Amino acid sequence: MIKLSSIFILLLMTPLLVFSQEVNNFTTVMTNTTEVRIPGAWTQLNSIDDSGQTYLKNEENVIIAVAKNPKKAYPFYKSLASDFENVQEFYKWDSDYRIELKQKTDKLKENSKLEYIIWKFNDGKMDNIFLFGSVNGNFLNLLVFTDKWNEEEKVKFLENLYKLNR
Protein backbone atom coordinates (compact mmCIF):
# COMPACT_ATOMS: atom_id res chain seq x y z
CA MET A 1 0.00 0.00 0.00
CA ILE A 2 2.87 2.40 0.84
CA LYS A 3 4.45 1.67 -2.54
CA LEU A 4 1.17 2.43 -4.33
CA SER A 5 0.77 5.69 -2.38
CA SER A 6 4.34 6.74 -3.26
CA ILE A 7 3.74 6.10 -6.95
CA PHE A 8 0.48 8.05 -6.83
CA ILE A 9 2.16 11.03 -5.11
CA LEU A 10 5.02 10.95 -7.63
CA LEU A 11 2.53 11.01 -10.52
CA LEU A 12 0.75 14.00 -8.96
CA MET A 13 4.03 15.87 -8.41
CA THR A 14 5.48 15.31 -11.90
CA PRO A 15 3.62 18.22 -13.59
CA LEU A 16 4.66 20.55 -10.76
CA LEU A 17 8.30 19.60 -11.14
CA VAL A 18 8.21 19.94 -14.92
CA PHE A 19 6.47 23.32 -15.01
CA SER A 20 8.25 24.97 -12.09
CA GLN A 21 11.77 24.81 -13.49
CA GLU A 22 13.80 28.01 -13.62
CA VAL A 23 14.62 29.64 -16.92
CA ASN A 24 18.03 28.27 -17.88
CA ASN A 25 18.42 30.01 -21.22
CA PHE A 26 19.57 33.59 -21.45
CA THR A 27 20.26 36.11 -24.15
CA THR A 28 23.43 38.13 -23.60
CA VAL A 29 23.76 41.68 -24.93
CA MET A 30 27.01 43.65 -24.97
CA THR A 31 26.45 47.23 -23.77
CA ASN A 32 28.86 50.19 -23.72
CA THR A 33 30.39 48.86 -20.50
CA THR A 34 29.57 45.18 -19.86
CA GLU A 35 27.21 42.42 -20.81
CA VAL A 36 23.56 42.32 -19.74
CA ARG A 37 21.84 38.95 -19.36
CA ILE A 38 18.16 38.65 -20.24
CA PRO A 39 16.12 35.55 -19.34
CA GLY A 40 14.74 33.75 -22.39
CA ALA A 41 15.33 33.97 -26.11
CA TRP A 42 15.50 37.51 -27.55
CA THR A 43 16.37 38.68 -31.05
CA GLN A 44 18.37 41.89 -31.41
CA LEU A 45 16.62 44.54 -33.51
CA ASN A 46 19.00 47.50 -33.45
CA SER A 47 21.26 49.65 -31.31
CA ILE A 48 21.34 53.41 -30.91
CA ASP A 49 24.87 54.75 -30.63
CA ASP A 50 24.24 57.98 -28.70
CA SER A 51 22.10 56.37 -25.95
CA GLY A 52 23.79 52.98 -26.03
CA GLN A 53 20.37 51.31 -26.07
CA THR A 54 20.00 47.93 -27.72
CA TYR A 55 16.45 46.95 -28.71
CA LEU A 56 15.33 43.33 -28.69
CA LYS A 57 12.12 41.36 -29.12
CA ASN A 58 10.99 37.90 -28.08
CA GLU A 59 8.64 35.40 -29.73
CA GLU A 60 5.62 37.23 -28.24
CA ASN A 61 6.81 40.41 -30.01
CA VAL A 62 7.49 42.06 -26.66
CA ILE A 63 10.07 44.80 -27.23
CA ILE A 64 12.66 45.69 -24.64
CA ALA A 65 15.72 47.92 -24.62
CA VAL A 66 18.83 47.74 -22.45
CA ALA A 67 21.70 50.15 -21.93
CA LYS A 68 24.49 50.28 -19.38
CA ASN A 69 26.54 53.45 -19.51
CA PRO A 70 29.10 55.14 -17.24
CA LYS A 71 27.43 57.62 -14.91
CA LYS A 72 30.11 60.22 -15.56
CA ALA A 73 29.02 60.36 -19.24
CA TYR A 74 25.78 62.16 -18.29
CA PRO A 75 25.55 65.95 -17.87
CA PHE A 76 23.61 65.77 -14.59
CA TYR A 77 25.99 63.36 -12.85
CA LYS A 78 27.40 64.60 -9.53
CA SER A 79 30.41 62.72 -8.20
CA LEU A 80 29.67 63.70 -4.59
CA ALA A 81 26.02 62.59 -4.73
CA SER A 82 24.93 59.12 -3.66
CA ASP A 83 24.17 56.46 -6.27
CA PHE A 84 20.45 56.77 -5.62
CA GLU A 85 20.58 60.59 -5.82
CA ASN A 86 22.17 60.21 -9.24
CA VAL A 87 19.44 57.75 -10.27
CA GLN A 88 16.89 60.38 -9.19
CA GLU A 89 18.71 62.95 -11.35
CA PHE A 90 18.65 60.53 -14.29
CA TYR A 91 14.90 60.08 -13.88
CA LYS A 92 14.34 63.85 -13.62
CA TRP A 93 16.54 64.54 -16.66
CA ASP A 94 14.76 62.01 -18.92
CA SER A 95 11.22 62.58 -17.65
CA ASP A 96 11.64 66.37 -18.05
CA TYR A 97 12.66 65.73 -21.66
CA ARG A 98 9.51 63.60 -22.20
CA ILE A 99 7.37 66.35 -20.68
CA GLU A 100 8.94 68.88 -23.09
CA LEU A 101 7.77 66.57 -25.89
CA LYS A 102 4.23 66.79 -24.43
CA GLN A 103 4.28 63.17 -23.30
CA LYS A 104 2.60 62.16 -20.06
CA THR A 105 4.97 60.73 -17.44
CA ASP A 106 4.40 59.01 -14.12
CA LYS A 107 6.76 57.62 -11.48
CA LEU A 108 5.53 54.13 -10.56
CA LYS A 109 7.99 52.89 -7.96
CA GLU A 110 11.33 53.63 -6.38
CA ASN A 111 13.66 51.65 -4.18
CA SER A 112 16.45 53.65 -2.54
CA LYS A 113 18.04 50.54 -1.04
CA LEU A 114 18.37 48.77 -4.41
CA GLU A 115 18.93 52.14 -6.12
CA TYR A 116 16.30 52.14 -8.87
CA ILE A 117 13.27 54.05 -10.11
CA ILE A 118 10.52 52.63 -12.31
CA TRP A 119 8.54 55.13 -14.35
CA LYS A 120 6.57 55.41 -17.56
CA PHE A 121 5.75 57.77 -20.34
CA ASN A 122 3.12 57.49 -23.03
CA ASP A 123 4.31 58.17 -26.57
CA GLY A 124 0.75 58.48 -27.92
CA LYS A 125 0.58 54.74 -28.70
CA MET A 126 1.15 53.02 -25.38
CA ASP A 127 3.05 53.22 -22.11
CA ASN A 128 6.80 52.77 -22.20
CA ILE A 129 7.96 51.54 -18.80
CA PHE A 130 11.55 52.20 -17.72
CA LEU A 131 13.74 51.13 -14.86
CA PHE A 132 16.72 53.38 -14.19
CA GLY A 133 19.18 51.88 -11.74
CA SER A 134 22.73 52.11 -10.44
CA VAL A 135 25.24 49.30 -10.95
CA ASN A 136 28.96 49.61 -10.19
CA GLY A 137 29.56 53.14 -11.47
CA ASN A 138 27.10 52.72 -14.33
CA PHE A 139 23.47 53.50 -15.00
CA LEU A 140 21.42 50.50 -16.07
CA ASN A 141 18.55 51.66 -18.28
CA LEU A 142 15.86 49.04 -18.98
CA LEU A 143 12.68 49.51 -21.04
CA VAL A 144 9.60 47.41 -21.82
CA PHE A 145 7.32 48.42 -24.68
CA THR A 146 4.35 46.13 -25.32
CA ASP A 147 0.60 45.85 -25.08
CA LYS A 148 0.90 42.09 -24.47
CA TRP A 149 1.76 42.48 -20.77
CA ASN A 150 -0.08 44.54 -18.18
CA GLU A 151 1.74 47.14 -16.10
CA GLU A 152 2.32 44.78 -13.19
CA GLU A 153 3.94 42.18 -15.47
CA LYS A 154 6.19 44.85 -17.02
CA VAL A 155 7.30 46.13 -13.60
CA LYS A 156 8.00 42.60 -12.35
CA PHE A 157 10.01 41.80 -15.49
CA LEU A 158 12.09 44.98 -15.10
CA GLU A 159 12.76 44.36 -11.40
CA ASN A 160 13.84 40.77 -12.08
CA LEU A 161 16.04 41.86 -14.98
CA TYR A 162 17.65 44.55 -12.83
CA LYS A 163 18.33 42.14 -9.95
CA LEU A 164 19.85 39.63 -12.37
CA ASN A 165 22.29 42.27 -13.67
CA ARG A 166 23.19 44.00 -10.41
Side-chain angles (χ1 to χ4, degrees):
M1 183 68 177
I2 294 174
K3 192 174 188 178
L4 186 59
S5 296
S6 298
I7 291 172
F8 181 71
I9 290 172
L10 183 60
L11 287 173
L12 286 175
M13 296 294 288
T14 300
L16 291 174
L17 294 171
V18 170
F19 293 112
S20 66
Q21 293 180 4
E22 285 186 35
V23 176
N24 289 327
N25 63 326
F26 291 91
T27 300
T28 303
V29 175
M30 188 61 199
T31 69
N32 285 339
T33 57
T34 60
E35 294 179 339
V36 171
R37 289 177 14 137
I38 307 163
W42 295 83
T43 303
Q44 186 170 328
L45 300 173
N46 65 326
S47 293
I48 299 175
D49 289 335
D50 63 340
S51 69
Q53 286 182 304
T54 300
Y55 288 83
L56 305 106
K57 74 174 181 172
N58 67 5
E59 62 188 20
E60 293 179 77
N61 287 321
V62 172
I63 296 174
I64 64 171
V66 299
K68 196 172 190 183
N69 296 310
K71 291 177 187 174
K72 63 184 177 185
Y74 290 86
F76 55 81
Y77 172 71
K78 295 180 180 107
S79 61
L80 298 178
S82 72
D83 288 335
F84 186 64
E85 288 170 331
N86 276 303
V87 168
Q88 290 173 313
E89 289 298 316
F90 189 9
Y91 161 71
K92 182 179 178 341
W93 179 72
D94 205 22
S95 65
D96 286 350
Y97 171 71
R98 301 297 174 177
I99 291 168
E100 286 176 20
L101 296 175
K102 308 288 188 236
Q103 296 171 339
K104 185 177 184 269
T105 68
D106 189 23
K107 187 188 294 187
L108 302 175
K109 189 174 188 179
E110 67 178 48
N111 186 320
S112 60
K113 183 178 178 185
L114 293 177
E115 303 169 337
Y116 70 80
I117 292 175
I118 298 176
W119 66 287
K120 67 180 177 181
F121 77 89
N122 190 294
D123 63 1
K125 297 175 192 168
M126 71 178 79
D127 288 336
N128 294 264
I129 299 185
F130 280 100
L131 183 149
F132 288 173
S134 176
V135 179
N136 299 326
N138 297 298
F139 287 120
L140 183 58
N141 173 348
L142 306 171
L143 163 71
V144 175
F145 177 80
T146 184
D147 59 0
K148 308 233 185 270
W149 296 347
N150 65 36
E151 188 171 288
E152 184 179 320
E153 291 170 307
K154 294 174 191 177
V155 167
K156 185 171 179 65
F157 174 82
L158 291 171
E159 288 176 320
N160 289 336
L161 185 55
Y162 178 68
K163 289 174 186 172
L164 177 66
N165 288 283
R166 247 185 130 231

CSV table of all heavy atoms in Angstrom, one decimal, residues 58-99:
chain,number,residue,atom,x,y,z
A,58,ASN,N,11.1,39.4,-28.3
A,58,ASN,CA,11.0,37.9,-28.1
A,58,ASN,C,9.9,37.3,-29.0
A,58,ASN,O,9.4,38.0,-29.9
A,58,ASN,CB,10.7,37.6,-26.6
A,58,ASN,CG,9.4,38.0,-26.1
A,58,ASN,OD1,8.5,38.5,-26.9
A,58,ASN,ND2,9.1,37.8,-24.8
A,59,GLU,N,9.6,36.1,-28.8
A,59,GLU,CA,8.6,35.4,-29.7
A,59,GLU,C,7.2,35.9,-29.6
A,59,GLU,O,6.4,35.8,-30.5
A,59,GLU,CB,8.7,33.9,-29.5
A,59,GLU,CG,8.3,33.4,-28.1
A,59,GLU,CD,8.5,32.0,-27.9
A,59,GLU,OE1,9.3,31.3,-28.6
A,59,GLU,OE2,7.9,31.4,-26.9
A,60,GLU,N,6.9,36.6,-28.4
A,60,GLU,CA,5.6,37.2,-28.2
A,60,GLU,C,5.6,38.6,-28.9
A,60,GLU,O,4.6,39.3,-28.8
A,60,GLU,CB,5.3,37.4,-26.7
A,60,GLU,CG,5.1,36.2,-25.9
A,60,GLU,CD,4.9,36.5,-24.5
A,60,GLU,OE1,3.8,37.0,-24.1
A,60,GLU,OE2,5.9,36.4,-23.7
A,61,ASN,N,6.7,39.1,-29.5
A,61,ASN,CA,6.8,40.4,-30.0
A,61,ASN,C,6.8,41.5,-28.9
A,61,ASN,O,6.4,42.6,-29.2
A,61,ASN,CB,5.8,40.7,-31.1
A,61,ASN,CG,6.1,40.0,-32.4
A,61,ASN,OD1,7.2,39.9,-32.8
A,61,ASN,ND2,5.0,39.5,-33.0
A,62,VAL,N,7.3,41.1,-27.7
A,62,VAL,CA,7.5,42.1,-26.7
A,62,VAL,C,8.8,42.7,-27.0
A,62,VAL,O,9.8,42.1,-27.3
A,62,VAL,CB,7.6,41.4,-25.3
A,62,VAL,CG1,8.0,42.3,-24.2
A,62,VAL,CG2,6.2,40.8,-24.9
A,63,ILE,N,8.8,44.1,-26.9
A,63,ILE,CA,10.1,44.8,-27.2
A,63,ILE,C,10.6,45.3,-25.9
A,63,ILE,O,9.9,45.9,-25.1
A,63,ILE,CB,9.8,45.9,-28.2
A,63,ILE,CG1,9.3,45.4,-29.6
A,63,ILE,CG2,11.0,46.8,-28.4
A,63,ILE,CD1,8.9,46.4,-30.6
A,64,ILE,N,11.9,45.1,-25.8
A,64,ILE,CA,12.7,45.7,-24.6
A,64,ILE,C,13.9,46.4,-25.2
A,64,ILE,O,14.3,46.2,-26.3
A,64,ILE,CB,13.1,44.6,-23.6
A,64,ILE,CG1,14.1,43.6,-24.2
A,64,ILE,CG2,11.9,43.9,-23.1
A,64,ILE,CD1,14.7,42.7,-23.3
A,65,ALA,N,14.4,47.3,-24.3
A,65,ALA,CA,15.7,47.9,-24.6
A,65,ALA,C,16.6,47.9,-23.4
A,65,ALA,O,16.0,48.0,-22.2
A,65,ALA,CB,15.5,49.4,-25.1
A,66,VAL,N,17.9,47.7,-23.6
A,66,VAL,CA,18.8,47.7,-22.4
A,66,VAL,C,20.0,48.7,-22.8
A,66,VAL,O,20.4,48.8,-23.9
A,66,VAL,CB,19.3,46.3,-22.1
A,66,VAL,CG1,18.2,45.4,-21.7
A,66,VAL,CG2,20.1,45.7,-23.3
A,67,ALA,N,20.5,49.3,-21.8
A,67,ALA,CA,21.7,50.2,-21.9
A,67,ALA,C,22.4,50.2,-20.6
A,67,ALA,O,21.7,50.2,-19.5
A,67,ALA,CB,21.4,51.6,-22.4
A,68,LYS,N,23.7,50.2,-20.6
A,68,LYS,CA,24.5,50.3,-19.4
A,68,LYS,C,25.6,51.2,-19.7
A,68,LYS,O,26.5,50.8,-20.5
A,68,LYS,CB,25.0,48.9,-18.9
A,68,LYS,CG,25.5,48.8,-17.5
A,68,LYS,CD,25.7,47.4,-17.2
A,68,LYS,CE,26.0,47.2,-15.7
A,68,LYS,NZ,26.3,45.8,-15.4
A,69,ASN,N,25.6,52.4,-19.2
A,69,ASN,CA,26.5,53.4,-19.5
A,69,ASN,C,27.2,54.0,-18.3
A,69,ASN,O,26.6,54.1,-17.2
A,69,ASN,CB,25.8,54.6,-20.2
A,69,ASN,CG,25.3,54.2,-21.6
A,69,ASN,OD1,26.0,53.5,-22.4
A,69,ASN,ND2,24.0,54.5,-21.8
A,70,PRO,N,28.4,54.5,-18.4
A,70,PRO,CA,29.1,55.1,-17.2
A,70,PRO,C,28.3,56.4,-16.8
A,70,PRO,O,27.9,57.2,-17.6
A,70,PRO,CB,30.5,55.6,-17.8
A,70,PRO,CG,30.6,54.8,-19.1
A,70,PRO,CD,29.3,54.5,-19.6
A,71,LYS,N,28.2,56.5,-15.5
A,71,LYS,CA,27.4,57.6,-14.9
A,71,LYS,C,28.1,58.9,-15.3
A,71,LYS,O,27.4,59.9,-15.6
A,71,LYS,CB,27.4,57.5,-13.4
A,71,LYS,CG,26.5,56.4,-12.9
A,71,LYS,CD,26.5,56.3,-11.4
A,71,LYS,CE,25.8,55.1,-10.9
A,71,LYS,NZ,25.9,54.9,-9.5
A,72,LYS,N,29.4,59.0,-15.3
A,72,LYS,CA,30.1,60.2,-15.6
A,72,LYS,C,29.9,60.7,-17.0
A,72,LYS,O,30.2,61.9,-17.3
A,72,LYS,CB,31.6,60.1,-15.3
A,72,LYS,CG,32.3,59.0,-16.1
A,72,LYS,CD,33.7,58.9,-15.7
A,72,LYS,CE,34.4,57.8,-16.6
A,72,LYS,NZ,35.7,57.5,-16.2
A,73,ALA,N,29.3,59.9,-17.9
A,73,ALA,CA,29.0,60.4,-19.2
A,73,ALA,C,27.8,61.3,-19.3
A,73,ALA,O,27.5,61.8,-20.4
A,73,ALA,CB,28.8,59.1,-20.1
A,74,TYR,N,27.0,61.4,-18.3
A,74,TYR,CA,25.8,62.2,-18.3
A,74,TYR,C,26.0,63.6,-17.7
A,74,TYR,O,26.7,63.7,-16.7
A,74,TYR,CB,24.7,61.4,-17.5
A,74,TYR,CG,24.2,60.2,-18.2
A,74,TYR,CD1,24.9,59.0,-18.0
A,74,TYR,CD2,23.1,60.2,-19.0
A,74,TYR,CE1,24.5,57.8,-18.6
A,74,TYR,CE2,22.7,59.0,-19.7
A,74,TYR,CZ,23.4,57.8,-19.5
A,74,TYR,OH,23.0,56.7,-20.1
A,75,PRO,N,25.3,64.6,-18.3
A,75,PRO,CA,25.6,65.9,-17.9
A,75,PRO,C,25.1,66.3,-16.5
A,75,PRO,O,25.6,67.2,-15.8
A,75,PRO,CB,24.8,66.8,-18.9
A,75,PRO,CG,23.7,65.8,-19.4
A,75,PRO,CD,24.4,64.5,-19.4
A,76,PHE,N,24.2,65.5,-15.9
A,76,PHE,CA,23.6,65.8,-14.6
A,76,PHE,C,24.4,65.1,-13.5
A,76,PHE,O,24.1,65.3,-12.3
A,76,PHE,CB,22.1,65.3,-14.5
A,76,PHE,CG,21.9,63.9,-14.9
A,76,PHE,CD1,22.2,62.9,-14.0
A,76,PHE,CD2,21.6,63.6,-16.2
A,76,PHE,CE1,22.0,61.6,-14.4
A,76,PHE,CE2,21.4,62.2,-16.6
A,76,PHE,CZ,21.7,61.2,-15.7
A,77,TYR,N,25.3,64.2,-13.8
A,77,TYR,CA,26.0,63.4,-12.8
A,77,TYR,C,26.8,64.2,-11.9
A,77,TYR,O,27.5,65.2,-12.3
A,77,TYR,CB,26.9,62.4,-13.5
A,77,TYR,CG,27.8,61.6,-12.6
A,77,TYR,CD1,27.3,60.7,-11.8
A,77,TYR,CD2,29.2,61.9,-12.5
A,77,TYR,CE1,28.1,60.0,-10.9
A,77,TYR,CE2,30.0,61.2,-11.6
A,77,TYR,CZ,29.5,60.3,-10.8
A,77,TYR,OH,30.3,59.6,-9.9
A,78,LYS,N,26.7,63.9,-10.6
A,78,LYS,CA,27.4,64.6,-9.5
A,78,LYS,C,28.2,63.6,-8.8
A,78,LYS,O,27.7,62.7,-8.1
A,78,LYS,CB,26.4,65.3,-8.6
A,78,LYS,CG,25.6,66.4,-9.3
A,78,LYS,CD,24.7,67.1,-8.3
A,78,LYS,CE,23.9,68.2,-9.0
A,78,LYS,NZ,22.6,67.9,-9.3
A,79,SER,N,29.5,63.7,-8.8
A,79,SER,CA,30.4,62.7,-8.2
A,79,SER,C,30.3,62.6,-6.7
A,79,SER,O,30.5,61.6,-6.1
A,79,SER,CB,31.9,63.0,-8.6
A,79,SER,OG,32.3,64.3,-8.1
A,80,LEU,N,29.8,63.7,-6.0
A,80,LEU,CA,29.7,63.7,-4.6
A,80,LEU,C,28.3,63.2,-4.1
A,80,LEU,O,28.1,63.0,-2.9
A,80,LEU,CB,30.0,65.1,-4.0
A,80,LEU,CG,31.4,65.6,-4.2
A,80,LEU,CD1,31.6,67.0,-3.7
A,80,LEU,CD2,32.4,64.6,-3.6
A,81,ALA,N,27.4,63.1,-5.1
A,81,ALA,CA,26.0,62.6,-4.7
A,81,ALA,C,26.0,61.1,-4.6
A,81,ALA,O,26.9,60.4,-5.1
A,81,ALA,CB,25.0,63.0,-5.8
A,82,SER,N,25.0,60.6,-3.8
A,82,SER,CA,24.9,59.1,-3.7
A,82,SER,C,24.5,58.5,-5.0
A,82,SER,O,24.0,59.2,-5.9
A,82,SER,CB,23.9,58.8,-2.6
A,82,SER,OG,22.6,59.1,-3.0
A,83,ASP,N,24.6,57.2,-5.1
A,83,ASP,CA,24.2,56.5,-6.3
A,83,ASP,C,22.7,56.7,-6.5
A,83,ASP,O,22.3,56.9,-7.6
A,83,ASP,CB,24.5,55.0,-6.2
A,83,ASP,CG,26.0,54.7,-6.3
A,83,ASP,OD1,26.7,55.5,-6.9
A,83,ASP,OD2,26.4,53.6,-5.8
A,84,PHE,N,21.9,56.6,-5.4
A,84,PHE,CA,20.5,56.8,-5.6
A,84,PHE,C,20.1,58.2,-6.0
A,84,PHE,O,19.2,58.4,-6.8
A,84,PHE,CB,19.7,56.3,-4.4
A,84,PHE,CG,18.2,56.4,-4.6
A,84,PHE,CD1,17.6,55.6,-5.5
A,84,PHE,CD2,17.4,57.3,-3.9
A,84,PHE,CE1,16.2,55.6,-5.8
A,84,PHE,CE2,16.0,57.3,-4.1
A,84,PHE,CZ,15.4,56.5,-5.1
A,85,GLU,N,20.8,59.2,-5.4
A,85,GLU,CA,20.6,60.6,-5.8
A,85,GLU,C,20.9,60.8,-7.3
A,85,GLU,O,20.1,61.5,-8.0
A,85,GLU,CB,21.4,61.5,-5.0
A,85,GLU,CG,21.0,61.7,-3.5
A,85,GLU,CD,22.0,62.4,-2.7
A,85,GLU,OE1,23.2,62.4,-2.9
A,85,GLU,OE2,21.5,63.0,-1.7
A,86,ASN,N,21.9,60.1,-7.8
A,86,ASN,CA,22.2,60.2,-9.2
A,86,ASN,C,21.1,59.5,-10.1
A,86,ASN,O,20.8,60.0,-11.2
A,86,ASN,CB,23.6,59.7,-9.6
A,86,ASN,CG,24.6,60.7,-9.3
A,86,ASN,OD1,24.6,61.8,-9.9
A,86,ASN,ND2,25.6,60.4,-8.5
A,87,VAL,N,20.6,58.4,-9.6
A,87,VAL,CA,19.4,57.7,-10.3
A,87,VAL,C,18.2,58.7,-10.3
A,87,VAL,O,17.6,58.8,-11.3
A,87,VAL,CB,19.1,56.4,-9.6
A,87,VAL,CG1,17.7,55.9,-10.1
A,87,VAL,CG2,20.2,55.4,-9.8
A,88,GLN,N,18.0,59.4,-9.2
A,88,GLN,CA,16.9,60.4,-9.2
A,88,GLN,C,17.1,61.5,-10.2
A,88,GLN,O,16.2,61.9,-10.9
A,88,GLN,CB,16.7,61.0,-7.8
A,88,GLN,CG,16.2,60.0,-6.8
A,88,GLN,CD,16.2,60.5,-5.4
A,88,GLN,OE1,17.2,61.1,-4.9
A,88,GLN,NE2,15.1,60.4,-4.7
A,89,GLU,N,18.4,61.9,-10.3
A,89,GLU,CA,18.7,62.9,-11.3
A,89,GLU,C,18.5,62.4,-12.8
A,89,GLU,O,18.1,63.1,-13.6
A,89,GLU,CB,20.1,63.4,-11.2
A,89,GLU,CG,20.3,64.3,-9.9
A,89,GLU,CD,19.5,65.6,-10.0
A,89,GLU,OE1,19.5,66.2,-11.0
A,89,GLU,OE2,18.9,65.9,-8.9
A,90,PHE,N,18.8,61.2,-13.0
A,90,PHE,CA,18.6,60.5,-14.3
A,90,PHE,C,17.2,60.5,-14.6
A,90,PHE,O,16.8,60.9,-15.7
A,90,PHE,CB,19.2,59.1,-14.3
A,90,PHE,CG,19.3,58.4,-15.6
A,90,PHE,CD1,19.0,59.0,-16.8
A,90,PHE,CD2,19.6,57.1,-15.6
A,90,PHE,CE1,19.1,58.3,-18.0
A,90,PHE,CE2,19.7,56.4,-16.8
A,90,PHE,CZ,19.5,57.0,-18.0
A,91,TYR,N,16.4,60.1,-13.7
A,91,TYR,CA,14.9,60.1,-13.9
A,91,TYR,C,14.4,61.5,-14.2
A,91,TYR,O,13.6,61.7,-15.2
A,91,TYR,CB,14.2,59.5,-12.6
A,91,TYR,CG,12.7,59.9,-12.6
A,91,TYR,CD1,11.8,59.3,-13.5
A,91,TYR,CD2,12.3,60.8,-11.7
A,91,TYR,CE1,10.5,59.7,-13.4
A,91,TYR,CE2,11.0,61.2,-11.6
A,91,TYR,CZ,10.1,60.6,-12.5
A,91,TYR,OH,8.7,61.0,-12.5
A,92,LYS,N,14.8,62.5,-13.4
A,92,LYS,CA,14.3,63.8,-13.6
A,92,LYS,C,14.8,64.4,-15.0
A,92,LYS,O,14.0,64.9,-15.7
A,92,LYS,CB,14.9,64.8,-12.5
A,92,LYS,CG,14.4,66.2,-12.6
A,92,LYS,CD,15.0,67.0,-11.5
A,92,LYS,CE,14.6,68.5,-11.6
A,92,LYS,NZ,14.2,69.1,-12.8
A,93,TRP,N,16.0,64.1,-15.4
A,93,TRP,CA,16.5,64.5,-16.7
A,93,TRP,C,15.7,64.0,-17.8
A,93,TRP,O,15.3,64.7,-18.7
A,93,TRP,CB,18.0,64.1,-16.7
A,93,TRP,CG,18.7,64.4,-18.0
A,93,TRP,CD1,19.2,65.7,-18.4
A,93,TRP,CD2,19.2,63.5,-19.0
A,93,TRP,NE1,19.9,65.6,-19.6
A,93,TRP,CE2,19.9,64.2,-19.9
A,93,TRP,CE3,19.1,62.1,-19.1
A,93,TRP,CZ2,20.5,63.6,-21.1
A,93,TRP,CZ3,19.7,61.5,-20.2
A,93,TRP,CH2,20.4,62.3,-21.2
A,94,ASP,N,15.5,62.6,-17.8
A,94,ASP,CA,14.8,62.0,-18.9
A,94,ASP,C,13.3,62.3,-18.9
A,94,ASP,O,12.7,62.6,-19.9
A,94,ASP,CB,15.0,60.5,-18.9
A,94,ASP,CG,14.8,59.9,-20.3
A,94,ASP,OD1,14.9,60.7,-21.3
A,94,ASP,OD2,14.6,58.7,-20.4
A,95,SER,N,12.7,62.3,-17.7
A,95,SER,CA,11.2,62.6,-17.7
A,95,SER,C,10.9,64.0,-18.0
A,95,SER,O,9.9,64.3,-18.7
A,95,SER,CB,10.6,62.2,-16.3
A,95,SER,OG,11.2,63.0,-15.3
A,96,ASP,N,11.8,65.0,-17.6
A,96,ASP,CA,11.6,66.4,-18.1
A,96,ASP,C,11.7,66.5,-19.6
A,96,ASP,O,10.9,67.2,-20.2
A,96,ASP,CB,12.7,67.3,-17.4
A,96,ASP,CG,12.5,67.5,-16.0
A,96,ASP,OD1,11.4,67.2,-15.4
A,96,ASP,OD2,13.4,68.1,-15.3
A,97,TYR,N,12.6,65.7,-20.2
A,97,TYR,CA,12.7,65.7,-21.7
A,97,TYR,C,11.3,65.2,-22.3
A,97,TYR,O,10.8,65.8,-23.2
A,97,TYR,CB,13.8,64.8,-22.1
A,97,TYR,CG,13.9,64.6,-23.6
A,97,TYR,CD1,14.2,65.6,-24.5
A,97,TYR,CD2,13.6,63.3,-24.1
A,97,TYR,CE1,14.3,65.4,-25.8
A,97,TYR,CE2,13.6,63.1,-25.5
A,97,TYR,CZ,14.0,64.1,-26.3
A,97,TYR,OH,14.0,63.9,-27.7
A,98,ARG,N,10.8,64.2,-21.7
A,98,ARG,CA,9.5,63.6,-22.2
A,98,ARG,C,8.4,64.6,-22.0
A,98,ARG,O,7.5,64.7,-22.9
A,98,ARG,CB,9.2,62.3,-21.5
A,98,ARG,CG,10.2,61.2,-21.6
A,98,ARG,CD,10.4,60.8,-23.0
A,98,ARG,NE,11.5,59.9,-23.1
A,98,ARG,CZ,11.9,59.3,-24.2
A,98,ARG,NH1,11.2,59.5,-25.4
A,98,ARG,NH2,12.9,58.4,-24.3
A,99,ILE,N,8.4,65.3,-20.9
A,99,ILE,CA,7.4,66.4,-20.7
A,99,ILE,C,7.5,67.5,-21.7
A,99,ILE,O,6.5,68.0,-22.2
A,99,ILE,CB,7.5,66.9,-19.2
A,99,ILE,CG1,7.0,65.8,-18.3
A,99,ILE,CG2,6.6,68.1,-19.0
A,99,ILE,CD1,7.3,66.0,-16.8
